[in-house]
Amino acid sequence: MIEHDPIEEQAARWLARQDAGPLNAAAKAGFDAWLATSTRHRVTYLRLEAAWRRADHLRSPGQATTLPLPPTDAPPAPWRRWPARRAARWATMTAAAAAVLLLVLPLVDEWDWPFAAGQKFSTGVGDRYTAHLQDGSQIELNTNTRLRASVDQTAREVRLDKGEAFFEVVHDDKHPFVVISGDLRIVDVGTKFSVRRDGDKLEVVVAEGAVLVEDMAHPNDVPPTLVTQSMAAVAQPKAIRKSSRSEEQIREALGWRHGTLVFTDRPLREVAAEFNRYNRKQLVVPAEGPMGDIRIGGSFEATNVDAFARLLHSGFGLKVIDDGREIRISN
Amino acid sequence: MNRSAVDLWFMEEVLPLEAALTGYLRRKWREANEIPDLRQEIYTRVYEAATVAIPELTKPFLFMTARNLLIDRARRAQVVSIETVIDLEDLDVADTVPDPERNAVGREAVRLLQAAINRLPPRCREVTLLRKVHGLPQRDVARRMGISESTVEQQVAKGVRLIADAMADIAPEPIARRLGRARKAGRS
């Protein structure tokens, strides 16, 4: 969605107009006057212009392969379905056609869009991102997460390759929303839920509605498990365990959606592992000894590991050595 | 438009920090819908300061301006937890964000940009693809799609805003990943 912002709307119109061709004298005077009205106009315009220019990087002749465009009387919009791997075949097919213009495909090995493999979304360490799908569903990606979404009129499928995400699904009986992660399949039954993947272990927390969790690799050993509101399921190959969660526990589990880590009586060892998902600077707690068992409770900013380390020092009297890459905790 | 030295500084030094700035605002400010407005206000303030003298170090200056604005706003707000203000004052912002890639758009960024274009509404996406990827002028885009030139212009106006917003989410890659595992991680 575009926010309603009259200045940005005007800036975008001026930019689009100049993108069409040079302004005539009268229009140019109008544009200059608009720019001079306030600094806000100017910075808004410059921001859009920079973004529009940056999009030119999609066309990088240095690494490009050139292909002819189809003749102009060809049916419009075939490029919607041009995945890279089919480009070669397509080129052969149209080699006979007179090439009027050059089509430049940058970074051919990564050119599997639009739609070839669905949309891909990813976040780096400490980042979050909300993806809006065309069916109205939303996916919030937590730190260090990667997923692919294929959502169209016929099917709705998301593959979670790694990390954690919160799904707000617009329910549609005819087209169930399916999340696949490893061998597990989660089918929504009208829902808000989160899925977190750690290797082949999966945790599903249902905030609203219900989902069905299935082990696709072992359909005979593990029956599909219905997980309803205020429940969670931990699934591993050949095992799906269900447990109930209080409202507060659900809020804690989803604290990351606001950038917060919430702990109630959790051992320091686990708390450190949680922080390490969100920060490049890693907390190191000795594997042996009682320190890892120190109980931690409270609400912390996920990406502010320094503040947490300071608290360990001032609150628990632990020694904290920070070398910029790691924070080592000791007695 | 005639570009001044301040314009160039703003485009080349300030705007590449937008992903980092947006990330910072998201972490520090609870009202997500106020972030575009805060960002424009920060840009306006740094731009106006630069017309007096262009700061030597852009990043600390930008984040200091951001922090000061947030503190102003938080203090002015009717209800504000003491925690928020302390947290803002506590942070040495300049060290918490990575430097952006200079004059380069990395592969990861290109991929994210492609993803952003994929999310545009269909007609807007097609105009953007033809205009930016295939490099056709607006007039040819109109002819090829069989729509009027003014419709193309409207779609460009819409597309540029959505792309600019998408770029606010394209954070610079950490160096290790960019050089090493980035490629592998990007494919799956």
Coordinates of all heavy atoms in Angstrom, one line a residue, chain A residues 179-249:
Chain A
V179 N 1.9 -24.1 4.2 CA 3.3 -23.7 4.5 C 4.1 -25.0 4.5 O 3.7 -26.0 5.3 CB 3.5 -23.0 5.8 CG1 4.9 -22.7 6.1 CG2 2.6 -21.7 5.9
I180 N 5.1 -25.1 3.7 CA 5.9 -26.3 3.7 C 7.3 -26.0 4.2 O 7.9 -25.0 3.9 CB 6.0 -26.9 2.2 CG1 4.6 -27.3 1.8 CG2 7.0 -28.0 2.2 CD1 4.6 -27.7 0.4
S181 N 7.8 -26.9 5.1 CA 9.1 -26.6 5.7 C 9.7 -28.0 5.9 O 9.2 -28.8 6.7 CB 9.0 -25.9 7.0 OG 10.3 -25.5 7.4
G182 N 10.8 -28.3 5.1 CA 11.3 -29.7 5.2 C 10.2 -30.6 4.8 O 9.6 -30.5 3.8
D183 N 10.0 -31.7 5.6 CA 9.0 -32.7 5.3 C 7.7 -32.4 5.9 O 6.7 -33.2 5.7 CB 9.5 -34.1 5.8 CG 10.6 -34.6 4.9 OD1 10.7 -34.2 3.7 OD2 11.4 -35.4 5.4
L184 N 7.6 -31.2 6.5 CA 6.3 -30.9 7.2 C 5.5 -30.0 6.4 O 6.0 -29.1 5.7 CB 6.6 -30.4 8.6 CG 7.2 -31.4 9.5 CD1 8.1 -30.8 10.6 CD2 6.1 -32.2 10.1
R185 N 4.2 -30.2 6.6 CA 3.2 -29.4 5.8 C 2.2 -28.8 6.8 O 1.7 -29.5 7.6 CB 2.5 -30.4 4.9 CG 1.8 -29.8 3.8 CD 1.5 -30.9 2.7 NE 0.7 -30.3 1.7 CZ -0.6 -30.5 1.7 NH1 -1.2 -31.2 2.6 NH2 -1.4 -29.9 0.8
I186 N 2.0 -27.5 6.7 CA 1.1 -26.9 7.7 C -0.1 -26.3 6.8 O 0.2 -25.4 6.0 CB 1.8 -25.8 8.5 CG1 2.9 -26.4 9.3 CG2 0.8 -25.1 9.4 CD1 4.1 -25.5 9.5
V187 N -1.3 -26.7 7.1 CA -2.4 -26.2 6.3 C -3.3 -25.3 7.2 O -3.7 -25.8 8.2 CB -3.2 -27.4 5.7 CG1 -4.3 -26.9 4.8 CG2 -2.3 -28.4 5.0
D188 N -3.6 -24.1 6.7 CA -4.3 -23.2 7.6 C -5.8 -23.6 7.5 O -6.4 -24.0 6.6 CB -4.1 -21.8 7.1 CG -5.4 -21.2 6.4 OD1 -5.6 -21.6 5.2 OD2 -6.1 -20.5 7.1
V189 N -6.4 -23.3 8.7 CA -7.9 -23.5 8.8 C -8.4 -22.1 9.3 O -9.3 -22.1 10.2 CB -8.3 -24.6 9.7 CG1 -9.7 -25.0 9.5 CG2 -7.4 -25.9 9.4
G190 N -8.0 -21.0 8.7 CA -8.5 -19.7 9.1 C -7.7 -19.1 10.2 O -8.1 -19.2 11.4
T191 N -6.6 -18.4 10.0 CA -5.5 -18.4 11.0 C -4.5 -17.3 11.1 O -4.2 -16.7 10.1 CB -4.7 -19.7 10.7 OG1 -5.4 -20.7 10.1 CG2 -4.1 -20.1 12.0
K192 N -4.1 -17.1 12.3 CA -2.8 -16.4 12.5 C -1.9 -17.3 13.2 O -2.2 -17.8 14.3 CB -3.0 -15.1 13.4 CG -3.9 -14.1 12.7 CD -4.1 -12.9 13.5 CE -5.0 -11.9 12.8 NZ -5.4 -10.8 13.7
F193 N -0.7 -17.6 12.7 CA 0.2 -18.5 13.3 C 1.6 -18.2 13.0 O 1.9 -17.5 12.0 CB -0.1 -20.0 12.9 CG 0.0 -20.2 11.5 CD1 1.1 -20.9 11.0 CD2 -1.0 -19.8 10.6 CE1 1.2 -21.1 9.6 CE2 -0.9 -20.1 9.2 CZ 0.2 -20.7 8.7
S194 N 2.6 -18.7 13.8 CA 4.0 -18.5 13.5 C 4.6 -19.9 13.3 O 4.2 -20.9 13.9 CB 4.7 -17.8 14.6 OG 4.9 -18.6 15.7
V195 N 5.6 -19.9 12.5 CA 6.4 -21.1 12.2 C 7.8 -20.8 12.4 O 8.3 -19.8 11.8 CB 6.1 -21.7 10.8 CG1 6.9 -23.0 10.6 CG2 4.6 -21.9 10.6
R196 N 8.5 -21.6 13.2 CA 10.0 -21.4 13.3 C 10.7 -22.6 13.0 O 10.4 -23.7 13.4 CB 10.3 -21.0 14.8 CG 11.8 -20.9 15.1 CD 12.0 -20.4 16.5 NE 13.3 -20.5 16.9 CZ 13.8 -20.1 18.1 NH1 13.0 -19.4 18.9 NH2 15.1 -20.3 18.4
R197 N 11.7 -22.5 12.1 CA 12.5 -23.7 11.7 C 13.9 -23.6 12.2 O 14.6 -22.7 12.1 CB 12.5 -23.7 10.2 CG 13.3 -24.9 9.6 CD 13.1 -25.0 8.1 NE 13.9 -26.2 7.7 CZ 13.8 -26.7 6.5 NH1 13.1 -26.1 5.6 NH2 14.6 -27.7 6.2
D198 N 14.3 -24.8 12.9 CA 15.7 -25.0 13.3 C 16.1 -26.3 12.7 O 15.8 -27.3 13.3 CB 15.7 -25.1 14.8 CG 15.8 -23.7 15.5 OD1 16.6 -22.9 15.0 OD2 15.1 -23.5 16.5
G199 N 16.8 -26.3 11.6 CA 17.2 -27.5 11.0 C 15.9 -28.3 10.6 O 15.0 -27.8 9.9
D200 N 15.8 -29.5 11.1 CA 14.5 -30.3 10.8 C 13.5 -30.2 11.9 O 12.5 -30.9 11.9 CB 14.9 -31.8 10.4 CG 15.5 -32.5 11.5 OD1 15.6 -31.9 12.6 OD2 15.8 -33.7 11.3
K201 N 13.8 -29.4 12.8 CA 12.8 -29.2 13.9 C 11.9 -27.9 13.6 O 12.4 -26.9 13.1 CB 13.5 -29.0 15.2 CG 12.6 -28.8 16.4 CD 13.4 -28.6 17.7 CE 12.7 -27.7 18.6 NZ 13.5 -27.2 19.7
L202 N 10.6 -28.1 13.9 CA 9.7 -27.0 13.5 C 8.8 -26.7 14.7 O 8.3 -27.6 15.4 CB 8.8 -27.5 12.4 CG 8.4 -26.5 11.4 CD1 9.6 -25.9 10.7 CD2 7.4 -27.1 10.4
E203 N 8.6 -25.4 15.0 CA 7.7 -25.1 16.1 C 6.6 -24.2 15.5 O 6.9 -23.2 14.8 CB 8.4 -24.3 17.2 CG 7.5 -24.1 18.4 CD 8.2 -23.5 19.6 OE1 9.4 -23.2 19.5 OE2 7.5 -23.4 20.6
V204 N 5.4 -24.6 15.7 CA 4.2 -23.9 15.2 C 3.4 -23.4 16.4 O 3.1 -24.1 17.3 CB 3.3 -24.8 14.4 CG1 2.1 -24.0 13.8 CG2 4.1 -25.5 13.3
V205 N 3.2 -22.1 16.4 CA 2.4 -21.5 17.5 C 1.2 -20.8 16.9 O 1.3 -20.0 16.0 CB 3.2 -20.4 18.3 CG1 2.3 -19.8 19.4 CG2 4.4 -21.0 18.9
V206 N 0.0 -21.2 17.4 CA -1.2 -20.7 16.8 C -1.8 -19.6 17.6 O -2.2 -19.8 18.8 CB -2.3 -21.8 16.5 CG1 -3.6 -21.3 16.0 CG2 -1.7 -22.9 15.6
A207 N -1.9 -18.4 17.1 CA -2.4 -17.3 17.9 C -3.9 -17.1 17.7 O -4.7 -16.6 18.5 CB -1.8 -16.0 17.5
E208 N -4.4 -17.6 16.6 CA -5.9 -17.5 16.2 C -6.2 -18.5 15.2 O -5.5 -18.8 14.3 CB -6.1 -16.1 15.6 CG -7.4 -15.5 16.0 CD -7.5 -14.1 15.4 OE1 -6.8 -13.2 15.8 OE2 -8.3 -13.9 14.4
G209 N -7.4 -19.2 15.4 CA -7.8 -20.2 14.4 C -7.2 -21.5 14.6 O -7.0 -21.9 15.8
A210 N -6.9 -22.2 13.6 CA -6.3 -23.5 13.7 C -5.5 -23.9 12.5 O -5.7 -23.4 11.4 CB -7.4 -24.5 13.9
V211 N -4.5 -24.8 12.6 CA -3.8 -25.3 11.5 C -3.7 -26.8 11.6 O -3.8 -27.4 12.7 CB -2.4 -24.7 11.3 CG1 -2.4 -23.3 11.1 CG2 -1.5 -25.1 12.6
L212 N -3.5 -27.4 10.5 CA -3.3 -28.9 10.5 C -1.8 -29.1 10.1 O -1.3 -28.6 9.1 CB -4.1 -29.5 9.3 CG -4.5 -30.9 9.4 CD1 -5.2 -31.3 10.7 CD2 -5.3 -31.3 8.2
V213 N -1.1 -29.9 11.0 CA 0.3 -30.2 10.8 C 0.5 -31.6 10.3 O 0.0 -32.5 11.0 CB 1.2 -29.9 12.0 CG1 2.7 -30.1 11.7 CG2 1.0 -28.5 12.5
E214 N 1.2 -31.8 9.2 CA 1.3 -33.1 8.6 C 2.8 -33.4 8.4 O 3.5 -32.6 7.9 CB 0.6 -33.2 7.3 CG -0.9 -33.0 7.3 CD -1.5 -32.8 5.9 OE1 -0.7 -32.6 5.0 OE2 -2.7 -32.9 5.8
D215 N 3.2 -34.7 8.6 CA 4.5 -35.1 8.3 C 4.4 -35.9 6.9 O 4.0 -37.0 6.9 CB 5.0 -36.1 9.4 CG 6.5 -36.5 9.2 OD1 6.9 -36.4 8.0 OD2 7.1 -36.8 10.2
M216 N 4.9 -35.2 5.9 CA 4.7 -35.7 4.5 C 5.5 -36.9 4.3 O 5.2 -37.8 3.5 CB 5.0 -34.7 3.5 CG 4.0 -33.5 3.5 SD 4.3 -32.4 2.1 CE 5.9 -31.7 2.6
A217 N 6.7 -37.0 5.0 CA 7.6 -38.1 4.8 C 7.1 -39.4 5.5 O 7.5 -40.5 5.1 CB 9.0 -37.8 5.2
H218 N 6.4 -39.3 6.5 CA 5.9 -40.4 7.3 C 4.4 -40.4 7.5 O 4.0 -40.4 8.7 CB 6.7 -40.5 8.6 CG 8.1 -40.3 8.5 ND1 8.8 -39.1 8.6 CD2 9.1 -41.2 8.2 CE1 10.1 -39.3 8.5 NE2 10.3 -40.5 8.2
P219 N 3.6 -40.4 6.5 CA 2.2 -40.2 6.6 C 1.5 -41.4 7.4 O 0.5 -41.2 8.0 CB 1.7 -40.2 5.2 CG 2.7 -40.8 4.4 CD 4.0 -40.6 5.1
N220 N 2.2 -42.6 7.4 CA 1.6 -43.7 8.1 C 1.9 -43.7 9.5 O 1.2 -44.3 10.3 CB 2.0 -45.0 7.4 CG 1.5 -45.0 5.9 OD1 0.5 -44.5 5.6 ND2 2.4 -45.6 5.1
D221 N 3.1 -43.2 9.9 CA 3.5 -43.2 11.3 C 2.9 -42.1 12.1 O 2.6 -42.2 13.3 CB 5.0 -43.1 11.4 CG 5.7 -44.2 10.6 OD1 5.1 -45.2 10.3 OD2 6.9 -44.0 10.1
V222 N 2.8 -41.0 11.4 CA 2.3 -39.8 12.2 C 1.0 -39.2 11.6 O 1.0 -38.8 10.4 CB 3.4 -38.7 12.1 CG1 3.0 -37.5 13.0 CG2 4.8 -39.2 12.4
P223 N -0.1 -39.3 12.3 CA -1.3 -38.8 11.8 C -1.3 -37.3 11.7 O -0.6 -36.6 12.5 CB -2.4 -39.3 12.8 CG -1.6 -39.5 14.1 CD -0.2 -39.8 13.7
P224 N -2.0 -36.7 10.8 CA -2.1 -35.2 10.8 C -2.6 -34.7 12.2 O -3.5 -35.3 12.8 CB -3.1 -34.9 9.7 CG -3.2 -36.1 8.9 CD -2.8 -37.3 9.8
T225 N -2.0 -33.6 12.6 CA -2.3 -33.1 14.0 C -3.0 -31.7 13.8 O -2.4 -30.9 13.2 CB -1.0 -33.0 14.8 OG1 -0.4 -34.2 14.8 CG2 -1.3 -32.6 16.2
L226 N -4.1 -31.6 14.4 CA -4.8 -30.3 14.4 C -4.3 -29.5 15.6 O -4.4 -29.9 16.7 CB -6.3 -30.5 14.5 CG -7.1 -29.2 14.3 CD1 -7.1 -28.7 12.9 CD2 -8.6 -29.4 14.7
V227 N -3.8 -28.3 15.3 CA -3.3 -27.4 16.4 C -4.2 -26.2 16.4 O -4.4 -25.5 15.4 CB -1.9 -27.0 16.1 CG1 -1.3 -26.2 17.3 CG2 -1.0 -28.2 15.8
T228 N -4.9 -26.0 17.5 CA -5.9 -24.9 17.6 C -5.3 -23.7 18.4 O -4.2 -23.8 18.9 CB -7.2 -25.4 18.2 OG1 -6.8 -26.0 19.4 CG2 -7.9 -26.4 17.3
Q229 N -6.1 -22.7 18.4 CA -5.8 -21.4 19.1 C -5.2 -21.7 20.5 O -5.7 -22.6 21.2 CB -7.0 -20.6 19.2 CG -6.8 -19.2 19.8 CD -7.9 -18.3 19.4 OE1 -8.6 -18.5 18.4 NE2 -8.1 -17.3 20.2
S230 N -4.2 -21.0 20.8 CA -3.5 -21.1 22.1 C -2.8 -22.4 22.3 O -2.7 -22.9 23.4 CB -4.4 -20.9 23.3 OG -5.1 -19.6 23.1
M231 N -2.4 -23.0 21.2 CA -1.6 -24.2 21.3 C -0.4 -24.1 20.5 O -0.3 -23.2 19.6 CB -2.4 -25.4 20.8 CG -3.7 -25.7 21.5 SD -4.1 -27.5 21.5 CE -2.9 -28.2 22.6
A232 N 0.6 -25.0 20.8 CA 1.8 -25.0 20.0 C 2.1 -26.4 19.6 O 1.7 -27.3 20.3 CB 2.9 -24.4 20.7
A233 N 2.8 -26.6 18.5 CA 3.3 -28.0 18.2 C 4.7 -27.9 17.9 O 5.2 -27.0 17.2 CB 2.5 -28.5 17.0
V234 N 5.5 -28.9 18.4 CA 6.9 -29.0 18.0 C 6.9 -30.3 17.2 O 6.5 -31.4 17.6 CB 7.8 -29.2 19.3 CG1 9.2 -29.4 18.8 CG2 7.7 -27.9 20.1
A235 N 7.4 -30.1 16.0 CA 7.4 -31.3 15.0 C 8.8 -31.6 14.6 O 9.6 -30.7 14.3 CB 6.6 -30.9 13.8
Q236 N 9.2 -32.9 14.7 CA 10.4 -33.4 14.2 C 10.1 -34.6 13.3 O 8.9 -35.1 13.4 CB 11.3 -33.8 15.3 CG 12.1 -32.6 15.9 CD 12.7 -32.8 17.2 OE1 12.1 -33.3 18.1 NE2 14.0 -32.6 17.2
P237 N 11.0 -35.1 12.5 CA 10.6 -36.3 11.7 C 10.0 -37.3 12.6 O 10.6 -37.7 13.6 CB 12.0 -36.7 11.1 CG 12.8 -35.4 11.0 CD 12.3 -34.6 12.2
K238 N 9.0 -37.8 12.2 CA 8.3 -38.9 12.9 C 7.7 -38.6 14.2 O 7.3 -39.5 15.0 CB 9.2 -40.1 13.0 CG 9.5 -40.8 11.7 CD 10.1 -42.2 12.0 CE 10.3 -42.9 10.7 NZ 10.7 -44.3 11.0
A239 N 7.6 -37.3 14.6 CA 7.1 -37.0 15.9 C 6.5 -35.6 15.8 O 7.2 -34.6 15.5 CB 8.1 -37.0 16.9
I240 N 5.2 -35.4 16.2 CA 4.6 -34.1 16.3 C 4.0 -34.1 17.8 O 3.2 -34.9 18.1 CB 3.5 -33.9 15.3 CG1 4.1 -34.0 13.9 CG2 2.9 -32.5 15.5 CD1 3.1 -33.9 12.8
R241 N 4.5 -33.2 18.6 CA 4.0 -33.1 19.9 C 3.2 -31.8 20.1 O 3.7 -30.7 19.7 CB 5.2 -33.1 20.9 CG 5.7 -34.5 21.3 CD 6.8 -34.4 22.3 NE 8.0 -33.6 21.8 CZ 8.4 -32.5 22.3 NH1 7.8 -31.9 23.4 NH2 9.5 -31.9 21.9
K242 N 2.1 -31.9 20.7 CA 1.3 -30.7 20.9 C 1.3 -30.3 22.4 O 1.5 -31.1 23.3 CB -0.2 -31.1 20.6 CG -0.7 -30.5 19.3 CD -2.2 -30.5 19.2 CE -3.0 -31.7 19.6 NZ -4.4 -31.6 19.1
S243 N 1.2 -29.0 22.7 CA 1.1 -28.5 24.0 C 0.3 -27.2 24.1 O 0.2 -26.5 23.0 CB 2.5 -28.3 24.6 OG 3.2 -27.4 23.9
S244 N -0.3 -26.9 25.2 CA -1.1 -25.7 25.2 C -0.2 -24.5 25.7 O 0.8 -24.7 26.4 CB -2.3 -25.9 26.1 OG -1.9 -26.1 27.4
R245 N -0.6 -23.4 25.3 CA 0.1 -22.1 25.7 C -0.8 -21.1 26.3 O -2.0 -21.0 25.7 CB 0.7 -21.5 24.4 CG 1.8 -22.3 23.8 CD 3.2 -22.0 24.5 NE 4.3 -22.4 23.7 CZ 4.8 -23.7 23.7 NH1 4.2 -24.6 24.3 NH2 5.9 -23.9 22.9
S246 N -0.4 -20.5 27.3 CA -1.3 -19.4 27.9 C -1.2 -18.2 26.9 O -0.3 -18.1 26.1 CB -0.8 -19.0 29.3 OG 0.5 -18.3 29.2
E247 N -2.1 -17.3 27.1 CA -2.1 -16.1 26.3 C -0.8 -15.3 26.4 O -0.2 -14.8 25.4 CB -3.2 -15.2 26.7 CG -3.9 -14.3 25.6 CD -5.1 -13.7 26.1 OE1 -6.1 -14.4 26.4 OE2 -5.1 -12.5 26.3
E248 N -0.3 -15.3 27.7 CA 1.0 -14.6 27.9 C 2.1 -15.3 27.2 O 3.0 -14.7 26.6 CB 1.2 -14.6 29.4 CG 2.2 -13.6 29.9 CD 2.5 -13.7 31.3 OE1 1.6 -14.2 32.1 OE2 3.6 -13.3 31.7
Q249 N 2.1 -16.6 27.2 CA 3.2 -17.4 26.6 C 3.2 -17.1 25.1 O 4.2 -17.0 24.4 CB 3.1 -18.9 26.8 CG 3.5 -19.2 28.2 CD 3.2 -20.7 28.5 OE1 2.1 -21.2 28.1 NE2 4.1 -21.4 29.2

